[in-house]
Amino acid sequence: MTGIGTTLVVGATGTTGSRTTARLVAAGHHVKAAGRRAAPVPGAEPVRFDWHDPATHDAALEGVDRVYLVPPVGDMDPAAVMLPFLRRARATGVRRAVLLSSSAIPEGGPAVGAVHRELPGLFDQWAVLRPSWFMQNFTGDHAHAVGIRQDGTILTATGSGRVAFVDADDIAAVALHALTDDRAPDSDLVLTGPESLTHDEVAANLTRAGGRPVVHHALTPAQSRARLASLVPPDFAAMLADMDHAIAQGAEDRTTDTVERVTGRPPHGFREVVAREWGRS
Ligand SMILES: NC(=O)c1ccc[n+]([C@@H]2O[C@H](COP(=O)([O-])OP(=O)(O)OC[C@H]3O[C@@H](n4cnc5c(N)ncnc54)[C@H](OP(=O)(O)O)[C@@H]3O)[C@@H](O)[C@H]2O)c1
């Protein structure tokens, strides 16, 4: 690994940022844990940072040589705020940038896809993590997890399409390597779990694990779009609804060997992760 540096983790209280921060701290790295609330994160230095408030950017970048980037949530044009920040980061001494994107968004695609396209031109050392859907969507604070707790339902327009759900801990394990290995990946990395599952199979797994019924209710694309629009801005909701439709068409029915290739061990399976996450709460 490269010498101990300082990593700015944007989104350090979130699903991937908190786990990435924990791994960096455990490996002896100094972490500035950034978010709008500057909430305390064990072992890290909290720093107030808002993508939409450039006045917070310079202090966050002070002393930083690498960054982990969770884009502004629900923003269809994150490049507008991220690219000026990244140019500033390069000018202040950041050498490596690891960007969180999605398996569903290729280089040059919508939203964060525009930031992905620019990243190699901005940093010699870079990676774009493109995880599949998170297993933690069913166990944390995501709308699916809330629905499961409230009335035992999962609502999607994915039909019988399969998704190779991935453990957020596995994303963080890859992020640690991407941030600290002597050689950066300098590529995008599509991250999946070990198997692809339908949402009916997810519901059956959760029913077995929790001892009470969980059911997947299929929505039409229009219903899915309306439901998502109650959670995020309408244009972002439309993009998420399109992703559900793509899943129904089979777009996410594939696994990759990236987690094992980067970390040296296979990715965690769905049942194992649900037992671990529900055991935590
Ligand atoms: N869920 C999935 O299945 C899935 C799959 C693939 C990719 N993704 C991608 O994952 C990303 C979400 O990452 P995550 O799950 O690790 O995060 P998350 O759990 O959604 O948490 C968001 C984090 O970002 C911070 N944040 C929010 N708005 C901010 C702003 N304006 N400026 C600075 N920080 C801000 C939050 O802290 P504060 O509230 O304190 O600011 C929090 O730490 C999205 O871009 C999504 O596209 C998700």
Side-chain angles (χ1 to χ4, degrees), residues 51-212:
W51 281 117
H52 299 109
D53 181 3
T56 63
H57 294 182
D58 270 8
L61 283 169
E62 219 173 282
V64 166
D65 62 0
R66 61 200 81 190
V67 290
Y68 175 76
L69 305 161
V70 174
V73 177
D75 187 339
M76 271 307 279
D77 184 21
V81 290
M82 292 184 77
L83 293 180
F85 169 80
L86 291 175
R87 291 188 197 103
R88 181 77 188 137
R90 186 180 57 182
T92 61
V94 171
R95 296 283 159 262
R96 188 178 299 199
V98 175
L99 171 67
L100 179 65
S101 179
S102 157
S103 60
I105 301 181
E107 178 183 357
V112 71
V115 183
H116 178 169
R117 187 181 53 216
E118 301 301 323
L119 207 65
L122 285 165
F123 298 96
D124 290 339
Q125 303 174 33
W126 65 278
V128 178
L129 306 187
R130 295 180 53 208
S132 178
W133 273 249
F134 303 172
M135 294 176 183
Q136 278 76 5
N137 291 353
F138 303 103
T139 61
D141 300 324
H142 188 277
H144 286 331
V146 173
I148 289 162
R149 282 196 292 274
Q150 277 175 355
D151 56 10
T153 58
I154 302 170
L155 305 173
T156 80
T158 58
S160 55
R162 293 179 172 278
V163 177
F165 295 98
V166 62
D167 177 13
D169 272 353
D170 286 339
I171 301 170
V174 172
L176 175 71
H177 281 279
L179 285 161
T180 65
D181 281 356
D182 286 339
R183 286 185 61 132
D186 300 335
S187 67
D188 64 345
L189 302 169
V190 176
L191 308 177
T192 75
E195 61 180 340
S196 53
L197 299 169
T198 66
H199 281 81
D200 284 355
E201 289 168 343
V202 165
N205 270 310
L206 294 170
T207 299
R208 272 194 297 275
R212 71 184 192 95

